[in-house]
């Protein structure tokens, strides 16, 4: 079963291969593997009585999103994004159940990340001519094949977030360099921010706050000097925030979204946020700010539920050093969600399920008085 779980984890990130269009909805290999794996796990073992509140809160949020969308689609039309949320619900269960398939679940996530890093490395070597051509005359992003449907920014972002799984490993810094190089090659601002955030968190956990403040001051001077004197396209992209087409488009989306929310504070259903905008002719399928997206899709109740869930997620993952990798992963996801993600990101819900499983182990150990070395 272990090999199938690894295949499932990797397939959840390789989103642009083995996909067919069914009625305007992309059906992928990962969807089929999810159903098969869920079936096998359910028939192999009895689903335990879950005692930790995080799992039930996550389940409740996803169910609310799905049920709300079914109702809202009767007024505002169907959107295939609801299938992502249904799939996320399955992945939450699988992440929770899969924890029993591995002695150390974090190691499984690390191995998944290493496989994906290897795929990205080999892919970029294959497309090295296109990447070099882009770097010689940069504009936008390299035009190559990416693992994620969202393109270079999502690929660079997930590389940065997966780095959090190696927080306490010796290989952390070589992988950080790899993730940073990916962000520079792809000219991904959000990727750079996520990698920098993970490295900053690593410094705090390793050296303490005082040393980090000193190092941060030196780093800030280096960053300012780079912006002033460096000749890097990514630096130009940061300097052009508010003027380049990408950031201007996001600002227009956010501005126009206000009228959409005021027009209907109850939400339009999953994926209907952009379609609800009264002004502008947008080709985007999301508003590039997930909190705002949740507000528009699921209304005031939905965004309050999402923020309460996330507050619970952050506080539970922050309270123990053993959970530091999960805390950083969830923190960086929230940071990145301020400018991207469309909803129903299955990898996020897989990790939520795995973390919920860890909490469940902790509750069971406390009730039996035993010590589980896997925590």
């Amino acid at each position: 079963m272990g090999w199938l779980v690894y295949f499932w984890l990797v397939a959840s990130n390789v989103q642009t291969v083995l996909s067919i269009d069914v009625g305007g909805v992309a059906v992928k290999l990962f969807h089929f593997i999810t159903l098969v794996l869920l079936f096998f796990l359910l028939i192999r073992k009895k689903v335990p009585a879950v005692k930790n509140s995080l799992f039930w809160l996550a389940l409740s949020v996803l169910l609310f999103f799905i049920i709300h969308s079914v109702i809202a689609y009767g007024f505002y039309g169907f959107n295939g994004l609801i299938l992502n949320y249904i799939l996320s619900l399955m992945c939450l269960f699988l992440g929770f159940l899969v924890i029993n398939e591995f002695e150390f679940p974090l190691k499984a996530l690390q191995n998944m990340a290493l496989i994906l890093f290897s795929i990205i490395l080999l892919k970029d070597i294959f497309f090295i001519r296109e990447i070099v051509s882009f770097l010689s005359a940069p504009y936008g992003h390299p035009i190559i094949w990416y693992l994620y449907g969202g393109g270079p920014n999502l690929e660079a972002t997930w590389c940065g977030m997966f780095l959090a799984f190696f927080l306490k490993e010796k290989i952390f810094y070589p992988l950080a360099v790899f993730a940073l190089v990916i962000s520079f090659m792809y000219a991904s601002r959000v990727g750079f921010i996520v990698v920098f955030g993970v490295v900053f968190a690593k410094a705090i956990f390793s050296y303490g706050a005082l040393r980090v403040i000193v190092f941060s001051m030196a780093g800030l001077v280096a960053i300012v000097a780079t912006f002033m004197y460096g000749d890097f396209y990514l630096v130009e992209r940061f300097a052009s925030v508010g003027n380049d087409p990408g950031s201007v488009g996001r600002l227009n989306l956010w501005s126009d979204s206000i009228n959409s929310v005021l027009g209907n504070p109850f939400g339009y259903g999953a994926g209907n946020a952009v379609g609800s905008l009264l002004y502008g002719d947008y080709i985007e399928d999301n508003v590039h700010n997930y909190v705002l997206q949740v507000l528009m899709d699921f209304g005031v109740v939905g965004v309050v539920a999402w923020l309460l869930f996330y507050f619970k997620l952050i506080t539970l993952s922050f309270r123990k050093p053993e959970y530091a990798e999960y805390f950083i992963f969830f923190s960086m996801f929230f940071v990145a969600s301020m400018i991207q993600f469309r909803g129903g990101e299955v990898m996020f819900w897989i990790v939520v399920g795995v973390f919920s499983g860890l909490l469940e182990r902790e509750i069971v150990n406390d009730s039996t008085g035993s010590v589980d070395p896997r925590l």
Side-chain angles (χ1 to χ4, degrees):
M1 182 63 72
W3 67 269
L4 181 58
V5 172
Y6 275 121
F7 191 40
W8 171 67
L9 287 171
V10 172
S12 69
N13 291 274
V14 184
Q15 301 174 355
T16 54
V17 297
L18 299 178
S19 174
I20 59 173
D21 186 273
V22 179
V25 177
V27 178
K28 305 172 183 177
L29 175 64
F30 167 68
H31 300 162
F32 175 73
I33 300 173
T34 299
L35 292 173
V36 171
L37 186 58
L38 186 61
F39 173 76
F40 275 114
L41 285 176
L42 289 177
I43 64 173
R44 278 186 56 192
K45 62 184 68 178
K46 181 181 179 181
V47 179
V50 183
K51 299 178 181 179
N52 78 83
S53 58
L54 178 67
F55 179 85
W56 290 113
L57 185 55
L59 181 65
S60 300
V61 169
L62 284 172
L63 284 174
F64 174 81
F65 287 175
I66 293 168
I67 295 171
H68 173 282
S69 296
V70 171
I71 297 171
Y73 288 163
F75 298 93
Y76 304 105
F78 175 79
N79 191 292
L81 187 62
I82 191 175
L83 300 179
N84 283 41
Y85 282 104
I86 295 173
L87 192 65
S88 295
L89 187 65
M90 297 180 190
C91 288
L92 174 68
F93 273 104
L94 280 175
F96 183 84
L97 294 173
V98 156
I99 196 167
N100 296 310
E101 297 295 316
F102 296 98
E103 184 176 4
F104 299 101
L106 181 61
K107 181 60 69 175
L109 293 174
Q110 290 173 346
N111 291 338
M112 173 208 71
L114 289 174
I115 293 171
L116 288 168
F117 289 160
S118 300
I119 293 173
I120 291 171
L121 176 61
L122 292 174
K123 169 183 71 72
D124 287 352
I125 290 175
F126 180 81
F127 287 105
I128 190 64
R129 183 178 300 177
E130 288 81 358
I131 292 173
V132 170
S133 176
F134 165 77
L135 293 175
S136 63
Y139 182 79
H141 304 284
I143 302 176
I144 61 173
W145 171 67
Y146 295 101
L147 303 188
Y148 301 89
N153 281 324
L154 280 184
E155 190 161 295
T157 298
W158 286 111
C159 281
M161 289 199 298
F162 291 155
L163 183 63
F165 297 145
F166 300 89
L167 183 70
K168 299 164 188 169
E169 305 296 331
K170 293 181 179 179
I171 200 174
F172 176 87
Y173 288 111
L175 292 179
V177 172
F178 172 79
L180 192 61
V181 169
I182 291 295
S183 292
F184 270 98
M185 287 198 311
Y186 295 176
S188 174
R189 290 172 291 199
V190 63
F192 177 83
I193 291 170
V194 170
V195 174
F196 180 82
V198 175
V199 172
F200 184 79
K202 163 72 172 178
I204 291 178
F205 277 95
S206 300
Y207 305 112
L210 182 59
R211 288 187 179 183
V212 170
I213 291 174
V214 175
F215 291 148
S216 297
M217 293 300 292
L220 182 61
V221 172
I223 291 172
V224 171
T226 301
F227 268 85
M228 291 179 64
Y229 304 107
D231 186 20
F232 299 102
Y233 180 61
L234 182 58
V235 173
E236 293 180 16
R237 295 204 72 217
F238 272 106
S240 65
V241 169
N243 297 309
D244 68 292
S247 58
V248 170
R250 286 183 174 88
L251 292 173
N252 289 336
L253 271 171
W254 299 340
S255 176
D256 291 347
S257 297
I258 296 174
N259 292 319
S260 178
V261 173
L262 293 176
N264 176 19
F266 301 104
Y268 297 89
N272 282 340
V274 174
S276 70
L277 298 178
L278 300 176
Y279 307 102
D281 184 18
Y282 300 104
I283 60 172
E284 306 285 348
D285 60 1
N286 67 94
V287 297
H288 291 277
N289 181 308
Y290 188 58
V291 174
L292 181 58
Q293 179 94 18
V294 170
L295 175 60
M296 297 171 70
D297 281 352
F298 310 112
V300 175
V301 175
V303 77
V304 169
W306 169 254
L307 292 174
L308 286 175
F309 158 72
Y310 222 96
F311 178 77
K312 179 91 169 176
L313 185 65
I314 291 295
T315 52
L316 286 175
S317 59
F318 179 72
R319 66 190 176 91
K320 279 192 172 185
E322 301 95 297
Y323 299 150
E325 292 87 350
Y326 298 95
F327 168 72
I328 295 172
F329 178 88
F330 295 139
S331 298
M332 288 301 102
F333 182 88
F334 191 82
V335 170
S337 75
M338 291 296 98
I339 51 178
Q340 61 182 10
F341 297 136
R342 63 193 294 253
E345 275 68 34
V346 292
M347 193 64 232
F348 169 78
W349 291 105
I350 290 172
V351 180
V352 171
V354 170
F355 181 63
S356 297
L358 285 175
L359 297 178
E360 195 69 20
R361 279 183 183 173
E362 184 180 340
I363 292 172
V364 171
N365 290 340
D366 289 344
S367 63
T368 60
S370 60
V371 178
D372 192 336
R374 297 175 296 181
L375 288 174

